[in-house]
Amino acid sequence: MNIALHHFRLVDTISKEGSLTKAAATLHLTQSALSHQLKELEREMDIEVFHRQGKKLHLSEQGYRFLRSAEKILAEINSLEEDIQNYKNGKTGKLTISMQCYTAYHWLPGIIKYYKNRWPDINIHILSDATRRPLEYLMRGELDIGIVRTQMINTKIMYEPIFEDHLVAVICKDHPLAKKKVINVSDFQNEELILPLYDPSYQDTPVIEALIQAQQVRPKTLHRIHYTDATIEMVNAGLGISVMADWIVEPYLRGRNIVTLPLHHTIAQRTWYAATIKQTPAIQNFLECLKMHFNINGMIKAKPEEEVLLEIAGVS
């Protein structure tokens, strides 16, 4: 049978309105066009959907059966349309995010809480596997937002500056270098150095690694550890020194035997970007939450429109 969606809407509306005249007005059709569609349906199914008694229409037995199906189908269609509209408006869906190089996400719960208060039906997933190669995951469609400091030249990827940070040396308080005011790259000579794991094939040599190579500094041992927590505990135990972003290490300072020292001013501050390919409302809303969070923490200067967001959030 060749039954279209408008046939289901036709029978449902006639049943509710009780006459062709009222149903035609509801469906924004002429009465002639509505009568033609009804005859077309009855001819296609070879049954009489409505019994006609003067100007009134009454469902036949098969018409009742058709109406029951129509109600289920139309309810499902309405639900589908609502879901699609909510997705388009950024009210529902899933967001997958990852951050290049770091496994520390202590900054994220506050952002998620604020975001979920406004858009409770968006599920947020942290893809830790993408930490070392986020842009590749982004290109494959497995990641929605990559927070990165490296930009791959690709016209599909959009980069939006999110915040800036500075690298600091993380040192046990008992270490001789802890007495210095500023740490130079040359201070890493013959030291147990603990740095994040990175993939050389990604063509993204970290700043410290590049400077060590350029200045021919030779640490006693170079440990590569993927997890931020593990690095902090090794430094705390006096097993080496590390280099991290100031905002990443800050929450770990309390209750531990470690300090942070600034690196020489020649080591430039870094800009982090939100890398995206899709531009859905859900993604844009999350980017605004990211920028608001780092504005609050003084890591970027708020623009006038972002200051409005801070006021809305109740931040002075």
Side-chain angles (χ1 to χ4, degrees):
M1 290 186 296
N2 184 21
I3 301 175
L5 182 59
H6 69 269
H7 290 133
F8 291 110
R9 288 200 171 104
L10 178 76
V11 173
D12 180 67
T13 304
I14 294 174
S15 175
K16 289 176 179 175
E17 298 295 346
S19 72
L20 292 180
T21 302
K22 292 181 179 179
T26 300
L27 294 172
H28 305 290
L29 295 171
T30 64
Q31 188 169 335
S32 174
L34 188 143
S35 296
H36 175 76
Q37 289 184 11
L38 178 57
K39 290 178 181 178
E40 178 184 66
L41 173 63
E42 291 179 325
R43 186 166 54 249
E44 181 66 33
M45 296 197 303
D46 194 24
I47 63 167
E48 187 179 43
V49 178
F50 288 95
H51 296 309
R52 293 149 177 86
Q53 294 180 347
K55 293 184 178 180
K56 291 188 177 182
L57 299 175
H58 301 279
L59 284 165
S60 66
E61 183 177 349
Q62 290 301 311
Y64 274 114
R65 174 66 185 85
F66 187 90
L67 177 63
R68 287 198 300 272
S69 293
E71 290 172 339
K72 293 177 182 178
I73 291 169
L74 292 175
E76 186 62 29
I77 291 295
N78 290 337
S79 178
L80 174 62
E81 290 175 343
E82 184 178 353
D83 287 347
I84 291 174
Q85 194 60 39
N86 285 336
Y87 177 80
K88 288 180 177 179
N89 293 335
K91 295 180 180 179
T92 61
K94 183 180 80 169
L95 280 181
T96 305
I97 66 174
S98 189
M99 184 171 187
Q100 184 179 12
C101 296
Y102 288 116
T103 58
Y105 286 92
H106 54 76
W107 50 274
L108 189 56
I111 297 174
I112 292 178
K113 183 177 180 180
Y114 177 76
Y115 186 87
K116 295 286 281 185
N117 283 338
R118 301 184 68 185
W119 299 283
D121 294 323
I122 299 289
N123 295 317
I124 298 176
H125 175 61
I126 301 172
L127 188 60
S128 58
D129 291 347
T131 299
R132 282 187 280 170
R133 306 177 78 89
L135 295 177
E136 292 185 8
Y137 279 76
L138 188 69
M139 289 295 295
R140 294 201 300 265
E142 299 175 32
L143 194 65
D144 294 308
I145 302 174
I147 302 174
V148 303
R149 66 170 196 280
T150 305
Q151 296 188 49
M152 176 192 295
I153 299 176
N154 190 299
T155 56
K156 292 183 179 180
I157 302 177
M158 292 162 282
Y159 298 94
E160 184 166 353
I162 296 297
F163 64 91
E164 295 177 340
D165 67 7
H166 293 83
L167 291 172
V168 294
V170 187
I171 303 173
C172 178
K173 292 178 181 178
D174 302 325
H175 195 286
L177 288 177
K179 298 176 182 179
K180 296 194 66 173
K181 292 184 177 181
V182 177
I183 298 296
N184 297 299
V185 173
S186 59
D187 290 324
F188 299 141
Q189 181 75 26
N190 294 323
E191 293 290 343
E192 299 280 353
L193 188 59
I194 307 169
L195 296 178
L197 192 67
Y198 86 99
D199 186 350
S201 68
Y202 200 49
Q203 298 180 342
D204 173 39
T205 303
V207 173
I208 292 301
E209 306 259 357
L211 290 173
I212 287 174
Q213 294 171 16
Q215 298 182 27
Q216 298 183 340
V217 173
R218 298 181 183 279
K220 181 178 180 180
T221 308
L222 178 54
H223 305 275
R224 297 193 185 279
I225 298 180
H226 182 55
Y227 295 102
T228 304
D229 288 1
T231 299
I232 292 294
E233 294 307 327
M234 287 189 68
V235 173
N236 188 62
L239 299 176
I241 60 179
S242 185
V243 176
M244 291 185 185
D246 48 5
W247 65 287
I248 288 292
V249 71
E250 192 276 333
Y252 294 98
L253 297 177
R254 293 182 291 273
R256 287 185 173 84
N257 191 39
I258 59 176
V259 293
T260 60
L261 295 174
L263 297 177
H264 194 270
H265 66 84
T266 55
I267 300 177
Q269 66 183 19
R270 305 178 305 175
T271 300
W272 289 82
Y273 303 88
T276 59
I277 290 180
K278 296 178 289 186
Q279 291 290 294
T280 67
I283 290 175
Q284 290 301 312
N285 291 337
F286 192 81
L287 292 184
E288 290 301 325
C289 289
L290 275 176
K291 289 188 288 185
M292 186 181 71
H293 170 82
F294 291 112
N295 277 334
I296 292 170
N297 287 279
M299 295 174 72
I300 52 176
K301 188 179 186 301
K303 298 176 183 177
E305 64 270 20
E306 291 167 347
E307 291 171 351
V308 174
L309 282 173
L310 299 183
E311 292 177 4
I312 293 173
V315 179
S316 58

